[in-house]
Amino acid sequence: MRVLYLYAHPLAESFHAAIRDAAREGLRQAGHSVDLCDLYAEGFNPVLSAAERRGYHEIPGNRAPVEDYVRRLEQAEALVLSFPTWCFGLPAILKGWMDRVLLPGVSFRLEDGVARPNLLHIRKIAGISTYGRPRWTAILAGDPPRKAVTRYFRLITAGRAAIDYHALYDMNRADDARRAAFLARVRGRMARF
């Protein structure tokens, strides 16, 4: 499959860079082609401008400011979202990508004011994240990143996409062995993606 890999971490030396590399290695082992969309390296602007918001419902003109990202999404058959969880949320750059790229006419259609799924070509989705705190605190906070991946993307793919979510909780106390085990798990899961 053609996989669009959305990567959202600003530091080249981060553990997330190791996660990205392990995931891509697994995807390559499985024979998938990977389009790495490194949002920070590409200088993606996550801010939805006033002009974009005014033209949000004007199809197809609404895609002009983010045409390259829309094209890459439309060419993909699968998505991987790789990001740290900050303040129990998605990094602003990834949330901004969602706000600016998952547009009417792209990820959904409006029919008589009702949103209908439009990412029907996406067959698989995986979220890969780390959390600084233990899982119970994420559950207490409602775990918004997990829901964004497993619920929102289920809606805009009409439930057709198989969705996985891989998380390393309590990252602040994870030792080398635990981090290595997570990398191996991610590599293995992506090799079976």
Side-chain angles (χ1 to χ4, degrees), residues 48-189:
L48 179 69
S49 71
E52 284 177 84
R53 182 60 189 109
R54 283 187 187 98
Y56 186 76
H57 296 285
E58 296 176 15
I59 301 167
N62 61 349
R63 42 172 79 204
V66 288
E67 183 62 46
D68 184 55
Y69 293 98
V70 169
R71 179 189 52 76
R72 291 163 79 178
L73 176 61
E74 290 179 338
Q75 290 175 348
E77 298 169 282
L79 295 173
V80 175
L81 295 87
S82 180
F83 58 93
T85 295
W86 288 333
C87 301
F88 294 113
L90 300 171
I93 201 164
L94 181 56
K95 178 62 169 78
W97 182 92
M98 292 171 70
D99 292 345
R100 293 186 67 212
V101 177
L102 300 180
L103 296 162
V106 177
S107 67
F108 64 97
R109 303 176 319 279
L110 284 175
E111 297 174 359
D112 297 321
V114 177
R116 304 280 186 212
N118 204 46
L119 282 183
L120 306 180
H121 63 287
I122 300 295
R123 299 180 357 214
K124 289 196 173 191
I125 298 169
I128 307 170
S129 190
T130 59
Y131 295 68
R133 297 182 183 205
R135 175 120 197 248
W136 72 267
T137 60
I139 292 169
L140 188 64
D143 206 347
R146 180 182 288 268
K147 289 178 181 174
V149 173
T150 62
R151 294 183 183 181
Y152 182 65
F153 280 94
R154 185 169 315 284
L155 285 174
I156 61 178
T157 61
R160 295 179 183 186
I163 301 176
D164 290 320
Y165 192 79
H166 313 286
L168 177 60
Y169 292 93
D170 210 5
M171 176 67 190
N172 293 337
R173 297 187 292 175
D175 59 15
D176 290 343
R178 195 156 159 254
R179 286 191 302 269
F182 185 72
L183 292 176
R185 185 175 122 211
V186 165
R187 186 181 302 108
R189 294 301 292 268

